Amino acid sequence: MKLGKVEFCHFLQILALFLCLSGMNQAEITRSRSKPYFQSGRTRTKRSWVWNQFFVLEEYMGTDPLYVGKLHSDVDKGDGSIKYILSGEGASSIFIIDENTGDIHATKRLDREEQAYYTLRAQALDRLTNRPVEPESEFVIKIQDINDNEPKFLDGPYTAGVPEMSPVGTSVVQVTATDADDPTYGNSARVVYSILQGQPYFSVEPKTGVIKTALPNMDREAKDQYLLVIQAKDMVGQNGGLSGTTSVTVTLTDVNDNPPRFPRRSYQYNVPESLPVASVVARIKAADADVGSNAEMEYKIVDGDGLGVFKVSVDKDTQEGIITIQKELDFEAKTSYTLRIEAANMHVDPRFLSLGPFSDMTTVKIIVEDVDEPPVFTSRLYSMVVSEAAKVGTIIGTVAAHDPDASNSPVRYSIDRNTDLERYFNIDANSGVITTAKSLDRETNAVHNITVLAMESQNPAQIGRGYVAITILDINDNAPEFAMEYETTVCENAQPGQVIQKISAIDKDDPPNGHQFYFSLTAEAANNHNFTLQDNKDNTATVLTKRNGFRRQEQSVFYLPIFIVDSGSPSLSSTNTLTIRVCDCDADGIAQTCNAEAYILPAGLSTGALIAILACVLTLLVLVLLIVTMRRRKKEPLIFDEERDIRENIVRYDDEGGGEEDTEAFDMAALRNLNIMRDTKTRRDVTPEIQFLSRPTFKSIPDNVIFREFIWERLKEADVDPCAPPYDSLQTYAFEGNGSVAESLSSLDSISSNSDQNYDYLSDWGPRFKRLADMYGTGPECLYS
């Protein structure tokens, strides 16, 4: 097989190294000052053998074992009495020894990058006794390197960034290639770097691998990314060396080298005068080719007649200038505004100031459009006061509104009744004067907040709103009363002068200087012998006993009328009654029992007796209810018909004059369905043993064509009869069939016969026979007319 150039070079290198080192791969026996070796039973012999280091080339591709070196001892006289053995790393598996000659061979291909050296031990033995004639000695077989590994970029591919407009020689990134060959032997691991792609923009240092810029003024806005290919080659870059490559992506980072510029020198916007404050009027933006913080801008109004009316701010996300309203617009006052707005970069790089000012100016004209505005009140909030004693029709105050438009349309006023549901106030539609419409009560509502509507006369849809707060002034129109419902008790063992209750008062009025109440007993109670009242002069009073010896048996409740007067002008008073109960108290004065009936109970029935009587009464009531229920149930019929028809009855007259009042029904099921007949009737007084046995059963009966035809003809006659009622009804017929020897025994069909019998006398029998008279009478009227 033909060898390529690279393989041929490798072969020559291996051959040269093999020839140079072949003389070194011998183990020379030299005398040394090593420790003497003692054999038991023998005199001391002096041995001297030192092993030189063996070398073997890696990646041997031959078929025969590779000769490594030779071991020899001075004890060996060449007569075959000595044998050599080998132990240690790779012994027998990689390295073998000829026990007679001491020659060492490698049986496998070795790779220095896997293991650079092997440590082995050699020993010479007497062949007959198998005892060592020399002490065991250690030696090293070192694997000689060849250039069989190309450089590799372990950290590749690389990404890096460098600012745009950087000067030539600016460092970008350093790349590093690693060669697995032995760096201490030859040039197999000596790497040099070169650039294969990326010129003329970038260059690389051959020895260090540092990539640098090679051109000035590289502009990110023109091209922001470059792809470089870097090569690392061993053997110092000479021919025959191995190489590896990696890619480097270089991104130009932005610098502020582009000033902002408005795409237009002027802008114009139209806005209605009704636009609320803080509304956005317009958005303008200056273009900046930079990105990130280098494109951040600020806007400001530097000149114009709208400095106090408008303001401009920046949108942080879009870098737009947002023009908003600061004050309300008024077409009648000013119809247009002109603004001079400047946009400037916030972060300016001094290195690029020579490119020009990093700001720009534009003109914005804002046209105010006229809008039909609602009336405007002269004040946002009107505050008014009125006394709660004011009479109906009292003037409280006046509100005023005007049409801000140039037409100055007249204004009419009204009150929003949603804010004055009780209609306490009225307003004059033309003048705006507010008056009372009902009597006022401060204690019910101290402040009324109402909304006044102002409408343009020419355009009622335009409505302005004004707000009025009406405060009701207090007058002394409420008498004082007890602050709470007092539960006052006096002990039977109370002593004279003992305090039994402290009372206070309240008043719904709200005088400016606060309340002052005065307490006293009424005239009729002033001379009572039981209790007295002491005014504490602090809006409270104390009730005291005047005697002892209170007894529930004598009097269990006392009523003490107390007179309370306020300090209003004019003053008001009221009489409040304090209920005092006599109670049995313990030694600490705590009430135990306050009802006088406790003394009467022992003379009557005990609690247990009352419970027994109540239980007997309840038992009797239950028995009465059971008896009544049983009697009602017996009156019900024992057999019931599940399909009882109550729409029409066949009346059986057992006595004269029964007529229609007899409501005992006849089962009409047979006339409605001639093909079935019910057999089973359910008894109410018998509980069926099995549920399904109580179900009705049906028997087929012979089909009688005569009856079916008879009913069908009567049905058709009823459908076409103009005198029939205009609703569903049950038509009842009596038909005994044809061919009877006795013929028909019924007189119900005589209405259609030629009988000369006259039934007009039925009309004279009264209302009970009116139906029969209508059916058999000779009158021309229809039956249901």
Side-chain angles (χ1 to χ4, degrees):
M1 133 178 133
K2 297 176 89 175
L3 297 176
K5 291 183 178 181
V6 177
E7 290 80 359
F8 183 71
C9 291
H10 288 173
F11 176 75
L12 291 178
Q13 290 177 353
I14 293 172
L15 181 61
L17 289 172
F18 178 77
L19 292 176
C20 293
L21 298 174
S22 60
M24 299 175 60
N25 293 339
Q26 301 288 335
E28 297 179 358
I29 303 176
T30 59
R31 299 287 178 180
S32 69
R33 295 184 294 249
S34 62
K35 291 198 281 182
Y37 173 66
F38 296 93
Q39 269 186 320
S40 66
R42 295 185 181 183
T43 60
R44 190 185 76 170
T45 60
K46 191 176 182 179
R47 75 102 191 138
S48 298
W49 62 327
V50 177
W51 307 109
N52 291 332
Q53 191 175 50
F54 292 134
F55 294 91
V56 60
L57 287 176
E58 66 171 336
E59 304 295 344
Y60 173 69
M61 305 297 293
T63 57
D64 296 331
L66 177 64
Y67 179 74
V68 177
K70 184 180 181 65
L71 298 180
H72 186 72
S73 173
D74 56 358
V75 181
D76 188 3
K77 303 301 183 181
D79 55 359
S81 62
I82 302 298
K83 69 175 181 179
Y84 299 93
I85 62 173
L86 194 66
S87 62
E89 292 181 309
S92 301
S93 59
I94 299 177
F95 302 101
I96 59 176
I97 187 171
D98 189 328
E99 64 178 12
N100 297 318
T101 63
D103 293 333
I104 301 174
H105 292 80
T107 61
K108 293 183 179 180
R109 183 174 63 87
L110 302 177
D111 187 357
R112 189 199 68 83
E113 286 71 38
E114 293 181 1
Q115 188 166 347
Y117 61 90
Y118 294 85
T119 302
L120 295 96
R121 293 180 300 278
Q123 195 169 31
L125 303 176
D126 186 292
R127 189 178 294 275
L128 295 177
T129 63
N130 207 30
R131 292 182 176 178
V133 297
E134 296 284 353
E136 188 179 60
S137 182
E138 187 176 85
F139 66 97
V140 174
I141 298 178
K142 186 175 182 181
I143 310 303
Q144 190 68 42
D145 183 49
I146 64 172
N147 189 19
D148 60 342
N149 290 280
E150 73 277 3
K152 295 181 179 180
F153 293 91
L154 301 180
D155 297 329
Y158 297 84
T159 58
V162 63
E164 62 175 334
M165 299 295 177
S166 296
V168 175
T170 301
S171 177
V172 178
V173 68
Q174 183 178 17
V175 297
T176 303
T178 302
D179 196 318
D181 292 325
D182 189 357
T184 63
Y185 178 77
N187 296 325
S188 299
R190 295 180 62 184
V191 177
V192 293
Y193 301 92
S194 61
I195 184 168
L196 301 182
Q197 178 181 323
Q199 295 174 329
Y201 305 102
F202 299 93
S203 62
V204 62
E205 287 287 340
K207 295 182 179 181
T208 62
V210 175
I211 299 173
K212 299 181 179 180
T213 58
L215 284 181
N217 301 327
M218 286 190 290
D219 191 2
R220 185 198 66 85
E221 287 72 34
K223 184 177 182 180
D224 63 346
Q225 199 171 77
Y226 298 85
L227 180 62
L228 283 62
V229 178
I230 305 298
Q231 175 184 266
K233 190 174 184 180
D234 58 14
M235 298 300 291
V236 201
Q238 298 177 358
N239 292 334
L242 303 179
S243 64
T245 60
T246 188
S247 63
V248 181
T249 302
V250 180
T251 302
L252 296 183
T253 59
D254 186 54
V255 298
N256 193 5
D257 59 339
N258 293 279
R261 292 291 180 263
F262 283 106
R264 295 168 55 184
R265 305 317 302 170
S266 64
Y267 298 86
Q268 179 174 318
Y269 300 96
N270 294 353
V271 296
E273 62 173 335
S274 60
L275 202 64
V277 174
S279 298
V280 176
V281 174
R283 287 174 174 263
I284 58 175
K285 184 177 182 180
D288 192 330
D290 297 320
V291 295
S293 61
N294 297 318
E296 292 181 358
M297 287 176 282
E298 59 181 355
Y299 296 85
K300 60 182 178 180
I301 301 174
V302 297
D303 195 9
D305 55 0
L307 287 174
V309 181
F310 301 93
K311 73 172 183 179
V312 62
S313 59
V314 63
D315 187 329
K316 298 296 183 182
D317 297 328
T318 62
Q319 297 301 316
E320 291 178 308
I322 304 173
I323 303 174
T324 55
I325 300 175
Q326 280 187 301
K327 294 182 180 180
E328 291 184 352
L329 302 178
D330 189 357
F331 174 82
E332 288 72 26
K334 191 172 181 60
T335 59
S336 65
Y337 296 89
T338 301
L339 307 175
R340 290 281 293 167
I341 297 179
E342 179 188 61
N345 278 137
M346 296 181 64
H347 310 286
V348 178
D349 193 335
R351 296 176 299 170
F352 305 105
L353 288 176
S354 60
L355 299 178
F358 281 76
S359 63
D360 197 18
M361 302 277 290
T362 189
T363 301
V364 178
K365 187 173 183 180
I366 299 174
I367 306 299
V368 181
E369 298 177 343
D370 187 23
V371 175
D372 190 4
E373 300 174 272
V376 177
F377 283 87
T378 57
S379 176
R380 295 181 60 86
L381 176 63
Y382 295 88
S383 297
M384 302 178 184
V385 295
V386 63
S387 173
E388 64 176 328
K391 297 181 179 180
V392 175
T394 301
I395 296 177
I396 302 174
T398 304
V399 297
H402 68 281
D403 183 5
D405 297 321
S407 60
N408 195 17
S409 175
V411 175
R412 294 183 61 83
Y413 302 95
S414 63
I415 294 176
D416 184 356
R417 291 304 176 184
N418 290 325
T419 61
D420 185 26
L421 297 175
E422 300 296 331
R423 295 181 177 268
Y424 284 108
F425 307 99
N426 286 329
I427 188 171
D428 188 275
N430 298 316
S431 63
V433 175
I434 299 176
T435 58
T436 59
K438 294 173 65 175
S439 298
L440 304 175
D441 186 8
R442 188 203 65 84
E443 287 72 35
T444 302
N445 194 350
V447 178
H448 294 265
N449 294 301
I450 64 174
T451 301
V452 177
L453 307 178
M455 295 178 290
E456 291 184 11
S457 299
Q458 298 178 359
N459 185 7
Q462 294 297 330
I463 301 175
R465 285 173 169 78
Y467 303 97
V468 182
I470 302 175
T471 303
I472 310 302
L473 300 179
D474 184 45
I475 63 172
N476 191 23
D477 58 344
N478 290 276
E481 57 187 15
F482 278 158
M484 58 181 292
E485 291 289 337
Y486 293 102
E487 296 182 359
T488 306
T489 61
V490 60
C491 295
E492 289 183 318
N493 57 358
Q495 299 299 318
Q498 181 175 332
V499 176
I500 62 172
Q501 185 68 60
K502 186 176 182 179
I503 61 174
S504 60
I506 58 173
D507 193 329
K508 295 180 181 179
D509 294 322
D510 187 17
N513 299 325
H515 291 288
Q516 181 63 48
F517 301 116
Y518 305 96
F519 300 86
S520 63
L521 294 178
T522 60
E524 62 271 15
N527 297 321
N528 79 90
H529 302 289
N530 301 311
F531 305 99
T532 185
L533 181 70
Q534 178 182 334
D535 193 340
N536 299 325
K537 308 299 182 182
D538 60 353
N539 290 340
T540 65
T542 304
V543 180
L544 302 93
T545 59
K546 293 178 68 175
R547 66 177 180 88
N548 57 6
F550 293 96
R551 294 291 181 268
R552 285 177 291 167
Q553 298 88 335
E554 298 175 359
Q555 187 173 349
S556 61
V557 180
F558 292 88
Y559 298 99
L560 186 64
I562 299 175
F563 187 69
I564 308 174
V565 183
D566 63 17
S567 58
S569 179
S571 62
L572 297 178
S573 62
S574 67
T575 300
N576 298 263
T577 301
L578 183 67
T579 302
I580 304 173
R581 299 171 62 87
V582 181
C583 299
D584 179 25
C585 302
D586 59 13
D588 296 329
I590 300 175
Q592 300 297 318
T593 306
C594 295
N595 50 344
E597 291 79 5
Y599 289 93
I600 305 173
L601 186 59
L605 296 174
S606 64
T607 304
L610 291 175
I611 294 175
I613 294 173
L614 182 61
C616 293
V617 172
L618 291 176
T619 304
L620 291 175
L621 289 175
V622 172
L623 291 174
V624 171
L625 291 175
L626 289 174
I627 293 172
V628 172
T629 304
M630 298 276 298
R631 288 185 175 181
R632 286 185 177 179
R633 186 164 183 175
K634 288 181 179 180
K635 291 182 179 181
E636 295 181 0
L638 296 180
I639 298 181
F640 68 95
D641 187 1
E642 292 182 354
E643 296 186 2
R644 179 178 296 172
D645 195 335
I646 61 172
R647 292 177 296 174
E648 189 65 50
N649 295 317
I650 294 180
V651 181
R652 182 180 62 200
Y653 294 95
D654 292 334
D655 56 334
E656 187 177 15
E660 296 176 354
E661 291 184 357
D662 189 355
T663 58
E664 184 174 354
F666 180 81
D667 187 3
M668 305 300 295
L671 288 179
R672 286 196 299 271
N673 192 342
L674 300 176
N675 294 327
I676 62 173
M677 181 177 66
R678 297 187 183 276
D679 270 355
T680 305
K681 300 291 184 180
T682 304
R683 290 182 59 92
R684 294 181 182 270
D685 59 339
V686 177
T687 301
E689 292 182 1
I690 302 177
Q691 179 91 17
F692 63 84
L693 292 178
S694 63
R695 294 181 182 176
T697 58
F698 303 92
K699 283 196 231 176
S700 295
I701 62 174
D703 186 10
N704 198 322
V705 180
I706 299 174
F707 288 100
R708 286 194 289 114
E709 291 180 353
F710 173 80
I711 294 176
W712 180 249
E713 291 175 359
R714 295 300 182 271
L715 178 61
K716 290 192 291 183
E717 290 177 2
D719 289 341
V720 299
D721 187 5
C723 296
Y727 47 83
D728 293 339
S729 62
L730 178 64
Q731 302 291 334
T732 304
Y733 305 100
F735 179 62
E736 299 173 356
N738 297 327
S740 173
V741 178
E743 296 185 352
S744 177
L745 301 178
S746 174
S747 62
L748 294 178
D749 59 349
S750 59
I751 189 171
S752 58
S753 65
N754 296 325
S755 175
D756 56 355
Q757 186 175 357
N758 187 3
Y759 294 97
D760 291 342
Y761 59 88
L762 294 175
S763 302
D764 301 330
W765 287 9
R768 291 190 176 184
F769 297 89
K770 182 177 185 304
R771 176 64 59 87
L772 290 175
D774 292 339
M775 294 176 61
Y776 296 99
T778 57
E781 296 160 347
C782 296
L783 179 60
Y784 297 101
S785 59

